[in-house]
Amino acid sequence: MAAMLEFRTPGWNPYAVKYSPYYDSRIAVATAANYGIVGNGRVFCLGLGPQGVQIEKTFDTNDAQYDLAWSEINENQLLVACGDGSIKLYDMNVNEFPIANFHEHKRETFSVAWSPVTKDTFASSSWDGTVKIWSPARKESIKTLPVGNCTYSTSYCPSNPHIISAVSSDSHLRIFDLRTPVNAQYHLTAKIPVHIPSPTPIPQGPAPPAAPGEILTHDWNKYNHTVIATGGVDKVIRTFDIRNPSAGPASVMMGHQYAVRRLAWSPHASDILLSGSYDMTVRLWTDGSTMPAQQESPVKAGIQLGIMNRHTEFVTGVDWCLFGVGGWVATVGWDERLLLWDANRMLQGQA
């Protein structure tokens, strides 16, 4: 494995990691004491310099922290999703306390995402079965989208600020379009059953399990803005094209031994994604969409390009650096460690 930078969070178990969208040298890690079961949370704002990874700021919360998102309008601000249902907005220039607190969720807030297009709203999802849309300028939410069961992850379409996605414990990927009327569907435009097998078999390898399973994570492709990857308890990564919700998965990637906890598409290539799992590994994949041999197949068999197994506990967060040569990634796990490494080495090793 290539050279690796490490930062330890003794006493704090990381749940999420995000590179700053402004600086290649700034990273934030959301953590919880006692594996998030009981106790406080702490977000580490870290800087990468000649001395390695250094703490620039920390902010403590009364409850565990499960996710975070950097502000898209201020390079010093970030959101933290907390176990008490609140979302806190911190500013690195303001000590100790949040500059705003958003608290409507009735149970743990498990995911936050900032709108990358209009940059004036953010979304949160919660175990209370809702997705909420917020403005950083007001305390009350703008809109509540009911999902009806534990909603682990929510995200914005990278090119359309009106389209929001969510995955949940009922094995479905939901797409909401805020331009639609608020009828009985509450802006819901697609509800894709992730576990339903494709009408056509996968060209190679075994068929994925067809039983419903909790979906823990998803991410929008950064180049094909109708493609979403999902991962969850059944250990399988699938991609879907939301233009054809009933077509089943566009590609399937199998290899993880336990649940897939976090996914991130590469910002540098349309077919590459990174996954972190409870099997303590981080894996690099191609979804097969750029491989000439698979162009004719309606369901593509993704291929594992590499594996990073330096973590010694559940891997809970993965993220790509937007800058530089286009391969640096950050991963965190319950082993109280942040690892920074170059995924390009994996790609070159397969070349």
Side-chain angles (χ1 to χ4, degrees), residues 14-344:
Y15 264 86
V17 61
K18 292 284 168 63
Y19 270 100
S20 165
Y22 298 94
Y23 305 110
D24 60 357
S25 60
R26 184 174 278 179
I27 301 158
V29 180
T31 70
N34 307 306
Y35 303 95
I37 297 164
V38 63
N40 303 61
R42 174 174 290 177
V43 61
F44 291 82
C45 301
L46 305 171
L48 185 58
Q51 310 301 315
V53 184
Q54 306 280 332
I55 294 177
E56 292 185 356
K57 205 86 164 183
T58 62
F59 296 103
D60 288 7
T61 52
N62 289 333
D63 219 315
Q65 298 177 6
Y66 294 130
D67 199 18
L68 65 100
W70 286 99
S71 166
E72 294 281 352
I73 49 177
N74 185 321
E75 70 268 26
N76 291 313
Q77 294 181 0
L78 72 165
L79 291 166
V80 175
C82 296
D84 61 1
S86 70
I87 304 137
K88 300 188 187 320
L89 180 64
Y90 287 101
D91 190 310
M92 292 180 65
N93 295 321
V94 178
N95 288 331
E96 201 170 341
F97 296 109
I99 58 171
N101 188 50
F102 309 90
H103 199 168
E104 287 182 13
H105 284 301
K106 303 290 191 291
R107 291 196 60 194
E108 289 86 342
T109 305
F110 216 65
S111 167
V112 281
W114 205 292
S115 171
V117 183
T118 57
K119 306 182 188 297
D120 58 352
T121 63
F122 62 89
S124 63
S125 75
S126 167
W127 290 9
D128 67 8
T130 65
V131 172
K132 289 181 181 284
I133 315 297
W134 309 80
S135 162
R138 53 181 270 187
K139 287 247 168 135
E140 301 79 26
S141 62
I142 300 167
K143 201 175 283 287
T144 299
L145 307 172
V147 174
N149 47 72
C150 187
T151 310
Y152 289 112
S153 169
T154 187
S155 188
Y156 283 86
C157 173
S159 59
N160 189 327
H162 305 289
I163 297 179
I164 289 168
S165 56
V167 293
S168 58
S169 58
D170 70 349
S171 197
H172 282 77
L173 163 65
R174 287 170 171 81
I175 309 296
F176 298 93
D177 189 334
L178 302 183
R179 296 166 298 186
T180 58
V182 188
N183 54 16
Q185 294 291 308
Y186 289 99
H187 304 292
L188 183 70
T189 55
K191 183 180 173 186
I192 301 171
V194 169
H195 57 282
I196 297 295
S198 168
T200 51
I202 300 171
Q204 63 217 50
E214 296 195 325
I215 310 302
L216 305 178
T217 179
H218 76 300
D219 194 34
W220 291 79
N221 190 293
K222 306 302 181 282
Y223 292 85
N224 303 319
H225 292 167
T226 60
V227 174
I228 295 176
T230 67
V233 171
D234 70 0
K235 306 176 282 194
V236 183
I237 300 166
R238 299 173 177 88
T239 69
F240 296 89
D241 192 321
I242 63 171
R243 293 171 298 184
N244 192 354
S246 61
S251 66
V252 174
M253 287 152 273
M254 292 191 285
H256 278 298
Q257 304 298 307
Y258 289 104
V260 179
R261 180 63 175 79
R262 191 81 70 161
L263 286 174
W265 283 102
S266 168
H268 313 292
S270 65
D271 65 317
I272 302 293
L273 72 159
L274 199 64
S275 62
S277 164
Y278 289 156
D279 67 8
M280 307 185 200
T281 68
V282 178
R283 301 182 192 226
L284 189 70
W285 310 83
T286 170
D287 67 357
S289 61
T290 59
M291 304 174 99
Q294 295 206 50
Q295 288 310 310
E296 300 304 314
S297 173
V299 189
K300 296 169 176 52
I303 294 172
Q304 182 178 302
L305 301 175
I307 182 168
M308 192 284 283
N309 54 11
R310 295 281 188 91
H311 283 290
T312 57
E313 252 295 354
F314 293 170
V315 178
T316 51
V318 299
D319 197 32
W320 295 82
C321 181
L322 294 173
F323 307 101
V325 291
W328 279 90
V329 297
T331 59
V332 294
W334 275 5
D335 53 4
E336 303 179 352
R337 290 194 303 162
L338 159 73
L339 297 178
L340 305 176
W341 47 282
D342 186 359
N344 268 336

